[in-house]
Amino acid sequence: MKVKVLCRNPDDYVRETTRDIQRVPRNYDPTLHPFEVPREYTRALNATKLQKVFAKPFVASLDGHRDGISCIVKHPKSLSTVISGACDGEVKVWNLSKRECLRTVQAHEGFVRGMCSRFCGTSFFTVGDDKTIKQWNMEAPGYGVRDEPINTILGKTVFTGIDHHYKEGTFATCGQTVDIWDEQRSSPLRSFSWGVDSFNCVRFNPVETELLASCGSDRSIILYDTREAAPLRKVIMKMRNNTLSWNQMEAYYFVCANEDYNLYTYDIRYLDIPVTVHMDHVSAVLDVDYSPTGRELVSASFDKTIRIFGKDAGHSREVYHTKRMQHVICVRWSADNKYIMSGSDEMNIRLWKANASEKLGLLSAREKAAANYNKKLIEKFQYHPQVKRIATYRHLPRELLRQKREQREMKLAQRRKDVNIRKHSKPGSIPVVTEKEKHVVAVVE
Amino acid sequence: MAASSSLQKTTLSEGSALAADEEELPSEDEPAISASEDEEGSDDERKHNKLLEAISSMGGRKRRKQNERSEASLQVSEFFVNAEGTGEKVMLSDLLGTVEKTPGTSNKTKKQLRKLENSKDTLDLPLNKQETEKIQRAIAFEKTAQEVALWKTIVMNNQRAEQMVFPLNQEPLGPKRVEQIVAGWKAETPLEQEIFKLLHNNSQPVIDPILTPVEEASLKAMSLEEAKIRRAELQKARALQSYYEAKAKREKKIKSKKYSRVKKKKKRKEFLKQFEEMVKTNPQAALEELQKIEMSRMKERMSLKHQNKSKWAKAKAIMARYDLSARKAMQEQLQINKDLTQKIVVHSDDEHESKGKELETVPDFVNDPEPVIDSVNPWMKGQLTCEEPEVSCVTPEDAQTAEEENKEEELLGEFERKRRLRQADEEALTPAEEKTEHASEVVGEDVVEIADNDENDDKEEEEVEEEEEEEEVDVSEFNTLFKLMRREKTQEAPEVGEELLEGPNRIRNMEDLEVLDEGLEPQPIVAPSLPQTAVVEATSEPTNKKSKEIDLNEVLTKEANVIKVPFLPTVVEEEHDEQISIIKEAFAGDDVISDFIKDKRKQEAAGKPKDVDLTLPGWGEWGGVGLKPSRWKRSRFTVKVAPPPPRQDQKLPDVIISETRDASIGRHQVSYVPFPFANTDQFESCIRTPIGHTWNTHSAVQKMTKPNVVTTMGAIIEPIVKEDFIKEKTTEKTGTKHSSERKQRRSRKRKNKLENE
């Protein structure tokens, strides 16, 4: 006789260990789970709210400098090490994880204008107002030994910026001219000049390592190739650029921080129009840095805020500010894409999370899955007005808000005026100039 | 004077320009001369100078002494030798004179030189510094732009990538494969080295293969002969297989209907042949086959698959009047049905031509016993005897007249009916088993039925004879089979007499067998069920057989579902009319327009705010059942609400615009189509697909919620490295070479493999 019995595979319902969660067999029949859109919408809304609840970007503040911070440099090989230079010529080496200063050096008399670390992370260079370039060992000297530079080069003029080649032992400085130096020599290998004005920033391309770009005080950005005899091309903009940063994943993009409150992303092949104009700051942008993934960029501004922009986004996705943070002079994105360091006028270095609501530390698989799901939900429902409203709202200090509104007003007025002028003039006589085209004066070959 | 000097200057400049044009040939000569001079000693130099002096003294013109005195100060620099003191400049005309005399130079160059000589134009000034720099810059920029543009594809791919994991070139985590580890491992310590040396010396496996080299070697040592034979066998088999495969492939590709039809026919024939064989050798299997056929036939009869009920058939029926091919298709379909349902008859159809002979030849164990054996049954007797004379006269004269056959058929049908009735009466006495048998057979087929009846009759007659009831079933089923067989055989040999053919069906004894002809091989199995007397009644049988066959046909045609192929368009029109009438019927009594108006009124009324009645009955006056508050009070305490704003559809008579749109939902709705989406449908479909685990499987959720950028905390993300992504042209070349080599190697390997096989 055949006896029919229900037979189940224990693998389907028995958990492997008692610490596992109970296995719940699911039936995915859509009729059993109705209202998927409203339910997901609610989840998305909740996720958005939670994201705002957990958005606590400020991690730490490193104090110790006795003057405004003028520059910050990441260690190329160690995430926890950061070097900062101040306006009184002092250079400090910090340990971020311990949040303490490891070493203090009086590097220059006057400002420390620029710093850079060697690609191998064994030493770093500083330039200051005292017309010197100094190379320092990354490791602190032993107890009782005076901290002295490995090498000092005395220049003829003041150097305002320095950057090191990403693969070779050469570095570039800027001042009256852009000079390419060999580490072993006391005079520049070559110097580029185009016009008479001085430069305030020079940066090597991290991917195409022979390329470099500089910002001049004549409102220009000049591209160079160390293999070529002459500079490549010059773009003149309406206002001066303070700094620029190369995208380290996409070789031909760089972004420059302009005095006209905007940032401009350029494709070096097509310099006549910037690829993107990043607007939102309400005062001059002083520094900019790409994230190591090349997907985002962070900017520091004179308006006492830090803003994070998407690579292609015209407006910022995030704004960081604190009551005590003054004009932010320099900003850097950490090499693991998780933190942002900012140095400001009031002598503090601040450490921020790059993703304000991200949970730091180890995540369990379920936490990770939940985070991913929430992120995707917010992304999916980002156009819904309620979600959008919550997700994009940022608190701004009153003064800042006032400035922002004022500027918006001004911009609208200008636009209105343009439209009116166009309306009352012969059709076609006044061309429509896009926002991108507005800011470039000329491209000089 | 001044003019002449200026002229000289221009010529000079011309000369210098020419010199530059002539690819610096003189400059090459100069160092050689100086070198030779250096080699000579100072004595030689002095001699040479003397010689020069002598020569100069011989000439009329005397050089100024000053020139010979060389002062280091002005003319000789640290870096170059000044040629100023050596003498006057060489004129172009001087050079040209020698050129014209030399035989090697072509006329063309001479002409060119002459032209140059004559021309008085000055050369352009060299570009100024700014211009040259500009050109330099432009060239340099082009170069770098091209170089940088190499990144374009990579950048685009990264942007489009669903997920990017940073740092980019990570070593894959997790366990490595053993081979990878082993490949990278080397014996380092002296102990390890020693062990490896030992292993190698004894040809022991290092990486643990299944067989040691020694074992492999022993395996390889198969005798050559054996190997050869085996290989030949294998080769042959492979070749055959490949032929067969190729053939099958070729045949599979043929789409011709004709071919397939022919093929099918062939198959059927083959099958029949096989079947015949089987009947002889393995009747049990044959029976099974037969049952199978029967089954398929039954199925076909049950289903409407090849009849006019399917959607396709209906569509075709509509199309048929326009389209010849549709008509054909339908007919084919019907033919299929016919074929399937008439499987047994098909053969008889084929043999219609030889019906007359066939009639004679077909064994009729079915009917023959009746007249003689059924002596007990007066019904049967009478009928058969009536029939007999008719048939006897018909068969010899013209057996092929269909009308007669039909008549006979009808008659026979009557007989059978009556017989069946009678039988039922009789069988009430016989065991239950038999009854069930018959019942089942009645359902199946008439032929079988009849045969059975005959057998039963036989049984009734010769109960004494050894008849096993189990056998009976088989036999009855075999009857049909045998009829088939017989027919075919008769086709082959139509000359054979009726008697001979009839006989076997009735044979039960060995003696009978001896009497009969050779064509009786299959009979032994059937024999037991046949009465001995069968041989005698030969004359009456053919007619029966004939009638039987026709009867079968009739039955089948009755059951076949006949499709009406419409040839007139009126039919379709009728359908249309029908539809319209249906719609009319459905909406009969509905006045849609008035309904709509009513509906609108109702909605308007519902939208109007109602007056609020605040009267309190009994307040300030008498209240109770049947008492209403006073008119004054009512008018005093009813609050009139201001009329609402005019409805949106006030002036649109045939539209209702709902005024009750929920604004609270609107706050949550997207009012525009966001950027990446082209239209509303796209956006809605995106929103409609859930991504959560409530609606999706685990893996699907994981896939859908995959983050775009993955970074690891504490991992430094280095800049993208050019060497990893962009190959230099030279390396590409080598790469292609490598790949081509690899290909060659692979093909060689494949060849080897084939050979080995």
Side-chain angles (χ1 to χ4, degrees), chain A residues 223-280:
Chain A
L223 294 178
Y224 308 89
D225 192 328
T226 53
R227 296 162 296 188
E228 302 291 343
L232 303 179
R233 196 155 279 196
K234 177 153 86 170
V235 195
I236 299 171
M237 300 186 69
K238 277 198 174 151
M239 289 188 90
R240 197 185 81 147
N241 290 301
N242 286 316
T243 43
L244 62 80
S245 170
W246 290 94
N247 190 331
Q248 70 166 22
M249 288 296 155
E250 296 167 4
Y252 42 74
Y253 288 122
F254 69 84
V255 63
C256 52
N258 203 294
E259 283 280 326
D260 65 358
Y261 314 166
N262 294 339
L263 295 121
Y264 301 95
T265 302
Y266 277 99
D267 184 333
I268 59 168
R269 297 167 299 165
Y270 317 105
L271 285 167
D272 40 357
I273 299 175
V275 178
T276 321
V277 182
H278 309 275
M279 298 183 284
D280 264 355

Side-chain angles (χ1 to χ4, degrees), chain A residues 227-439:
Chain A
R227 296 162 296 188
E228 302 291 343
L232 303 179
R233 196 155 279 196
K234 177 153 86 170
V235 195
I236 299 171
M237 300 186 69
K238 277 198 174 151
M239 289 188 90
R240 197 185 81 147
N241 290 301
N242 286 316
T243 43
L244 62 80
S245 170
W246 290 94
N247 190 331
Q248 70 166 22
M249 288 296 155
E250 296 167 4
Y252 42 74
Y253 288 122
F254 69 84
V255 63
C256 52
N258 203 294
E259 283 280 326
D260 65 358
Y261 314 166
N262 294 339
L263 295 121
Y264 301 95
T265 302
Y266 277 99
D267 184 333
I268 59 168
R269 297 167 299 165
Y270 317 105
L271 285 167
D272 40 357
I273 299 175
V275 178
T276 321
V277 182
H278 309 275
M279 298 183 284
D280 264 355
H281 279 295
V282 291
S283 191
V285 191
L286 298 182
D287 198 9
V288 65
D289 193 27
Y290 262 110
S291 76
T293 59
R295 299 285 174 115
E296 284 172 327
L297 51 102
V298 62
S299 63
S301 168
F302 197 74
D303 62 9
K304 307 174 189 175
T305 59
I306 297 165
R307 279 183 188 269
I308 301 171
F309 294 85
K311 182 189 68 172
D312 304 317
H315 291 276
S316 59
R317 75 157 170 85
E318 200 71 71
V319 54
Y320 294 159
H321 55 83
T322 60
K323 215 181 245 177
R324 294 181 180 182
M325 188 162 73
Q326 294 303 310
H327 314 300
V328 194
I329 291 168
C330 48
V331 70
R332 285 288 174 275
W333 203 306
S334 80
D336 64 347
N337 198 36
K338 298 280 180 192
Y339 297 98
I340 287 166
M341 283 92 68
S342 72
S344 43
D345 245 1
E346 88 307 329
M347 305 177 271
N348 278 321
I349 295 170
R350 288 195 168 76
L351 191 65
W352 309 83
K353 283 198 275 185
N355 264 324
S357 57
E358 193 182 31
K359 191 184 172 190
L360 297 178
L362 278 179
L363 293 181
S364 70
R366 300 184 75 204
E367 271 178 313
K368 229 181 254 173
N372 286 342
Y373 178 47
N374 283 343
K375 216 171 168 188
K376 267 279 141 57
L377 274 182
I378 295 169
E379 196 186 307
K380 184 181 164 188
F381 287 97
Q382 63 184 323
Y383 306 107
H384 284 67
Q386 293 299 303
V387 176
K388 195 178 183 181
R389 182 181 63 87
I390 299 167
T392 54
Y393 177 78
R394 293 287 180 281
H395 168 72
L396 277 185
R398 183 171 293 157
E399 179 57 21
L400 214 61
L401 198 62
R402 193 189 58 74
Q403 281 180 29
K404 197 182 163 190
R405 282 180 184 152
E406 195 179 279
Q407 271 167 28
R408 197 202 289 151
E409 200 91 327
M410 286 158 68
K411 210 172 267 179
L412 283 175
Q414 186 60 44
R415 189 175 299 161
R416 208 161 43 236
K417 190 176 178 184
D418 286 346
V419 168
N420 285 339
I421 289 171
R422 197 166 300 120
K423 210 188 282 172
H424 294 288
S425 53
K426 190 181 160 194
S429 62
I430 294 172
V432 182
V433 184
T434 59
E435 185 66 34
K436 285 178 190 173
E437 290 164 344
K438 258 180 213 169
H439 305 279

